[in-house]
């Protein structure tokens, strides 16, 4: 019995020893595992460690550095510009990379002071400062090739300006902002963005565009437009019978002069040229005219000073002032002398026909003969030859005294038509016509019987044409 009992105790002891050995073995194994894991984490980051948004769990410093650089290569900076021009610079193209100090090594060293098992389930989220570097030559290449620098896509800024006269007015063309950038400003902003890994850059926000310097509301430009538009708004119409001449903005715009102070003036030579043109075109002063004589033949009457005669100097002044005022009207030119009508026949059907050869005249008014009379003209024997041509009646006067160096002759009716030559009564004569003028003529005036002079005076007006001519074969003696 004693032997059996001992045998049972030995079994119990043996089991205990086995359990102890197993426990010790397990402890040893766990210690070894712990030691192995602890040693592992001397070169690896604990589980659930996040560095700069990168999962660094169970990774070495080199692994984390590679992860950060891989992430940088995916970096992309979007550059947003005007005119829908958008471009990018990528980390890959400029070989972007991080410049590491000992931050990661220090992090790894620091974690040794922590109990690693608790980081199996707890997260460490760490941010470290990382310096950015890249290949400068590749950056320059990529930067210079951005679309914002392509000539065919770039519109330089342009100042507001006054456009050419468009037939109506001068209009201000607004400024153009364009999309040309200041390269130095853009380059600095792009570099700053890359260094902080900024995802986008708005060129408008960094005030990087070149700007115009003159805008459409510029006071000087607005004033110049106003000063130019007033004269070109003028419209002066001249009516020469059926012919019309118009001075309007198209013509006036050619006469405007703008000085260095933006003051507007009118070119006097331009206005004068136009006035000279209407003078050359419509003046009839002294022209040769055709006359169907009361004797039948149609003759040409040359010379004389009848006709339209433009006062060019005065017309230049008047037209210039009207243009400055922006006037719109129909204007009669300033004349030194007028004729009865415009056109080829500027005399019309009211005129006096003086035939020196016949010493006889006819006075037609509105086509009706109101006077036919003999007269006595200049004394040929003394050289008082009457000038031929077409002349206007200058005025008429009652009870005038005709004076010369050696005479003073009172007359009842005086109607001069060329210098001191005119129609008047001659109470000192009893007979008229024939060949009296050859030896006993006047000093050049047309001497009429009193009744004839009276009739002429009552019907004639200033400006009526007087045809003085010679017509061989109509002698009346």
């Amino acid at each position: 019995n004693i032997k059996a009992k001992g045998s049972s105790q030995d079994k119990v002891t043996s089991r205990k020893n086995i359990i102890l050995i197993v426990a010790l073995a397990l402890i040893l194994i766990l210690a070894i595992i712990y030691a192995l894991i602890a040693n592992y984490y001397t070169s690896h980051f604990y589980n659930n460690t996040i560095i700069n948004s990168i999962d660094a769990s169970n990774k070495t410093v080199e692994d984390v550095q590679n992860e950060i650089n891989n992430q940088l290569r995916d970096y992309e900076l979007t550059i947003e510009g005007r005119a829908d021009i958008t471009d990018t610079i990528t980390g890959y193209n400029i070989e972007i990379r991080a410049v590491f100090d000992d931050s990661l090594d220090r992090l790894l060293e620091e974690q040794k002071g922590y109990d690693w098992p608790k980081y199996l389930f707890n997260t460490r989220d760490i941010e470290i400062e990382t310096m950015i570097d890249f290949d400068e030559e590749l950056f320059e290449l990529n930067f210079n090739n951005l679309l914002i620098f392509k000539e065919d896509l770039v519109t330089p800024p342009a100042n507001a300006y006054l456009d050419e006269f468009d037939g109506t007015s001068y209009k201000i063309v607004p400024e153009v902002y364009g999309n040309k950038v200041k390269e130095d400003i853009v380059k600095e902003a792009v570099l700053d963005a890359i260094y902080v890994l900024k995802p986008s850059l708005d060129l408008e926000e960094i005030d990087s565009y070149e700007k115009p310097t003159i805008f459409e509301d510029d006071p000087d430009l607005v004033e110049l437009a106003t000063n130019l538009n007033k004269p070109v708004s003028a419209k002066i119409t001249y009516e020469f019978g059926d012919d019309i001449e118009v001075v309007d903005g198209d013509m006036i715009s050619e006469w405007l002069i703008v000085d260095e102070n933006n003051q507007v003036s009118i070119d006097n030579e331009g206005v004068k040229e136009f006035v000279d043109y209407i003078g050359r075109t419509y003046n009839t002063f002294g022209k040769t005219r055709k006359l169907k004589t009361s004797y039948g033949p149609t003759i040409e009457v040359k010379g004389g000073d009848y006709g339209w005669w433009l006062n060019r100097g005065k017309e230049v002044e008047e037209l210039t002032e009207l243009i400055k005022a922006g006037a719109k009207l129909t204007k009669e030119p300033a004349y030194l002398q007028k004729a009865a009508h415009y056109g080829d026949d500027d005399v019309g059907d009211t005129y006096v026909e003086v035939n020196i050869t016949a010493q006889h005249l006819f006075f037609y008014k509105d086509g009706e003969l109101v006077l036919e009379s003999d007269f006595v003209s200049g004394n040929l024997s003394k050289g008082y030859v009457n000038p031929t041509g077409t002349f206007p009646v200058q005025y008429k006067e009652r009870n005038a005294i005709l004076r010369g160096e050696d005479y003073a002759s009172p007359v009842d009716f005086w109607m001069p038509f060329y210098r001191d030559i005119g129609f008047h009564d001659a109470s000192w004569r009893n007979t008229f016509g024939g060949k009296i003028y050859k030896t006993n003529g006047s000093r050049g005036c047309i001497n009429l019987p009193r009744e004839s002079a009276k009739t002429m005076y009552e019907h004639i007006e200033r400006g009526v044409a007087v045809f003085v001519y010679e017509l061989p074969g109509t002698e009346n003696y």
Side-chain angles (χ1 to χ4, degrees):
N1 291 333
I2 293 172
K3 187 178 179 179
K5 183 178 180 181
S7 210
S8 175
Q9 289 176 345
D10 289 340
K11 289 180 180 179
V12 170
T13 299
S14 178
R15 286 192 195 99
K16 288 181 179 180
N17 290 334
I18 291 172
I19 292 171
L20 179 62
I21 292 171
V22 170
L24 291 173
L26 287 175
I27 290 170
L28 179 62
I29 290 171
L30 290 174
I32 293 171
I33 291 174
Y34 183 89
L36 290 173
I37 291 175
N39 183 65
Y40 176 82
Y41 282 120
T42 61
S43 60
H44 294 75
F45 290 101
Y46 288 148
N47 192 47
N48 293 327
T49 300
I50 296 176
I51 301 175
N52 288 11
S53 302
I54 291 174
D55 185 3
S57 302
N58 304 311
K59 293 178 180 176
T60 66
V61 168
E62 184 179 356
D63 292 336
V64 173
Q65 289 176 338
N66 289 335
E67 285 284 340
I68 291 176
N69 279 325
N70 287 336
Q71 189 181 62
L72 286 176
R73 290 188 184 93
D74 293 334
Y75 167 71
E76 184 174 278
L77 173 63
T78 300
I79 301 170
E80 301 169 352
R82 288 179 185 167
D84 296 326
I85 297 178
T86 301
D87 209 345
T88 58
I89 291 180
T90 65
Y92 176 80
N93 286 334
I94 62 175
E95 293 186 2
I96 196 170
R97 55 190 176 274
V99 178
F100 298 101
D101 54 14
D102 60 352
S103 298
L104 290 175
D105 293 314
R106 285 190 283 106
L107 282 176
L108 192 62
E109 186 67 26
E110 288 172 3
Q111 79 175 12
K112 294 178 181 178
Y114 305 119
D115 187 6
W116 65 264
K118 73 178 182 179
Y119 288 102
L120 293 175
F121 306 102
N122 296 327
T123 300
R124 295 176 71 202
D125 195 344
I126 304 167
E127 289 289 334
I128 65 171
E129 185 175 341
T130 305
M131 299 294 292
I132 300 298
D133 194 15
F134 48 81
D135 188 298
E136 292 184 0
E137 289 186 3
L138 289 177
F139 170 80
E140 290 291 337
L141 180 64
N142 280 265
F143 179 79
N144 292 331
N145 284 327
L146 288 172
L147 294 177
I148 58 175
F149 299 122
K150 299 297 182 184
E151 288 187 5
D152 56 339
L153 298 178
V154 173
T155 301
N159 289 333
Y161 65 94
L162 209 58
D163 203 359
E164 297 293 327
F165 182 70
D166 65 1
T168 303
S169 64
Y170 289 91
K171 292 181 175 61
I172 296 175
V173 178
E175 66 279 359
V176 174
Y177 283 86
N179 62 346
K180 186 176 182 180
V181 297
K182 301 174 185 176
E183 184 175 339
D184 55 341
I185 292 178
V186 174
K187 190 172 187 178
E188 182 180 355
V190 169
L191 288 171
D192 289 344
I194 291 174
Y195 284 130
V196 298
L197 302 178
K198 188 176 179 180
S200 64
L201 176 65
D202 189 331
L203 299 182
E204 200 78 68
E205 292 180 356
I206 63 172
D207 194 24
S208 63
Y209 287 100
E210 293 186 5
K211 299 175 182 178
T213 57
I214 300 176
F215 303 90
E216 62 179 323
D217 59 352
D218 180 83
D220 291 337
L221 194 59
V222 171
E223 181 182 10
L224 178 58
T226 300
N227 291 342
L228 285 170
N229 283 327
K230 186 171 185 179
V232 296
S233 68
K235 184 176 182 180
I236 295 91
T237 303
Y238 293 88
E239 297 178 351
F240 301 96
D242 294 332
D243 295 316
I244 304 294
E245 300 288 346
V246 178
V247 176
D248 58 12
D250 287 325
M251 186 179 295
I252 295 168
S253 64
E254 300 293 327
W255 300 341
L256 299 181
I257 300 173
V258 180
D259 65 17
E260 64 276 6
N261 297 317
N262 278 345
Q263 296 302 306
V264 178
S265 60
I266 298 173
D267 181 14
N268 187 69
E269 288 302 312
V271 180
K272 183 177 180 297
E273 184 177 339
F274 170 76
V275 172
D276 286 346
Y277 157 74
I278 62 174
R280 291 192 306 271
T281 305
Y282 299 104
N283 273 356
T284 59
F285 176 81
K287 82 168 190 176
T288 298
R289 295 171 176 81
K290 289 185 177 181
L291 171 68
K292 182 173 176 54
T293 67
S294 299
Y295 298 90
T298 297
I299 63 172
E300 287 188 344
V301 181
K302 299 180 180 180
D305 57 7
Y306 177 86
W308 296 106
W309 187 6
L310 186 65
N311 186 337
R312 300 191 184 198
K314 186 176 181 182
E315 185 57 30
V316 168
E317 293 177 5
E318 291 182 0
L319 179 56
T320 300
E321 291 305 313
L322 289 174
I323 292 171
K324 288 179 180 178
K328 298 177 179 64
L329 50 80
T330 298
K331 183 184 188 305
E332 180 182 69
Y335 285 112
L336 292 170
Q337 179 177 281
K338 298 180 182 180
H341 303 283
Y342 289 108
D344 291 335
D345 178 13
D346 60 350
V347 172
D349 53 8
T350 297
Y351 58 90
V352 181
E353 181 183 339
V354 179
N355 184 347
I356 298 298
T357 305
Q359 292 287 286
H360 198 76
L361 64 75
F362 303 85
F363 176 21
Y364 296 93
K365 186 172 185 178
D366 298 327
E368 298 293 329
L369 181 65
V370 296
L371 174 65
E372 180 179 353
S373 175
D374 286 335
F375 60 80
V376 176
S377 62
N379 190 332
L380 292 185
S381 65
K382 292 185 178 181
Y384 296 121
V385 179
N386 283 84
T388 58
T390 310
F391 308 92
V393 173
Q394 297 171 5
Y395 61 90
K396 61 181 183 177
E397 182 181 355
R398 285 282 279 124
N399 302 318
I401 298 177
L402 308 182
R403 298 181 185 276
E405 291 183 2
D406 56 355
Y407 69 92
S409 301
V411 297
D412 292 337
F413 307 99
W414 170 233
M415 295 154 282
F417 58 82
Y418 177 68
R419 296 182 180 175
D420 57 356
I421 296 174
F423 303 108
H424 62 80
D425 56 297
S427 58
W428 55 89
R429 293 186 184 276
N430 294 319
T431 58
F432 298 85
K435 56 182 179 181
I436 298 171
Y437 75 105
K438 291 190 175 185
T439 58
N440 190 26
S442 70
R443 293 175 181 268
C445 285
I446 305 300
N447 291 181
L448 291 169
R450 187 181 188 284
E451 286 304 312
S452 295
K454 179 176 182 295
T455 300
M456 179 178 283
Y457 184 90
E458 290 172 348
H459 291 87
I460 207 162
E461 299 295 339
R462 181 179 184 275
V464 169
V466 178
F467 290 101
V468 181
Y469 64 90
E470 295 178 354
L471 186 58
T474 60
E475 293 85 355
N476 188 22
Y477 54 85

